[in-house]
Amino acid sequence: MQASSAIRFKARLLRPAADRRASWTFLVLPKAVSAKLGTRASVAVEGRANGYPFRATLVPDGRGSHWLKLTRKQREGAGAEAGDTIALEIARTGREPEARVPADLRKALAGAPKAKALWAAITPAARRDWIDWVTSAKKAETRVRRVAAACDMLAKGKRRVCCFDRSGIYGGNFCAPDAAD
């Protein structure tokens, strides 16, 4: 990480309300810090949490900022627990990490050779947008339709999802987890 491009700030570690036994924690970046990243979409970063090095993808929180999930290993490396305020140092990376393709989309792509061929040719960021579009569906029926539509559009040569709000602000596609009390 280049010291000149590093963004330094402090944030409080939160435990997700949905699973109080979760070993992972998260934090929401202050809006002013998020603005320095130059995008409201997902962004790959490398950094340090209380001096412990990590690589991660910051995800839009739907409110003009980003949130960061810290695994148990990262949290323990930072010597922190939920509720603690930690010192962070982050910088954008030049590489987009490869997103994990959900099983339903992977299966559909396997059955659609033209779509699969274009999937292999597009950028990791474009693949992540397709995945985010599919997984941001709130209803199971919508997700099924989106998987089918993605394969159809990819087979027809469409490289990007049109009209997909990468920030989550307008469409409510993304949000940080609710924090436990």
Side-chain angles (χ1 to χ4, degrees):
M1 181 168 55
Q2 296 175 351
S4 62
S5 64
I7 303 168
R8 292 173 182 83
F9 63 102
K10 291 185 178 185
R12 187 170 167 245
L13 280 182
L14 306 167
R15 181 155 324 278
D19 185 0
R20 292 181 182 264
R21 297 176 313 197
S23 63
W24 60 276
T25 54
F26 72 99
L27 59 91
V28 177
L29 278 66
K31 284 187 180 183
V33 170
S34 189
K36 292 178 182 179
L37 296 169
T39 181
R40 288 190 289 189
S42 296
V43 60
V45 296
E46 60 182 11
R48 296 182 179 279
N50 281 351
Y52 184 80
F54 69 89
R55 287 181 169 269
T57 299
L58 301 177
V59 181
D61 73 349
R63 295 181 177 152
S65 190
H66 292 85
W67 68 279
L68 169 66
K69 178 180 179 178
L70 287 178
T71 65
R72 184 180 84 217
K73 181 179 178 183
Q74 292 166 333
R75 179 182 50 75
E76 289 174 350
E81 295 293 331
D84 292 350
T85 297
I86 62 171
L88 291 118
E89 183 178 336
I90 60 171
R92 290 183 72 156
T93 62
R95 293 181 319 151
E96 285 292 328
E98 196 59 52
R100 195 169 137 245
V101 182
D104 54 349
L105 181 57
R106 189 172 46 250
K107 183 177 179 182
L109 287 168
K114 286 184 179 179
K116 187 176 180 181
L118 185 58
W119 182 265
I122 61 178
T123 66
R127 286 191 288 270
R128 187 183 62 232
D129 284 352
W130 284 103
I131 291 166
D132 287 346
W133 179 63
V134 167
T135 60
S136 67
K138 291 177 176 53
K139 295 182 179 179
E141 310 85 62
T142 304
R143 182 170 172 144
V144 169
R145 279 195 309 273
R146 286 185 183 180
V147 167
C151 287
D152 182 58
M153 289 187 275
L154 285 161
K156 291 177 179 171
K158 188 167 182 157
R159 302 176 75 82
R160 293 288 235 186
V161 178
C162 174
C163 307
F164 177 61
D165 173 24
R166 297 176 82 199
S167 72
I169 293 172
Y170 307 105
N173 312 352
F174 301 108
C175 62
D178 289 328
D181 295 330

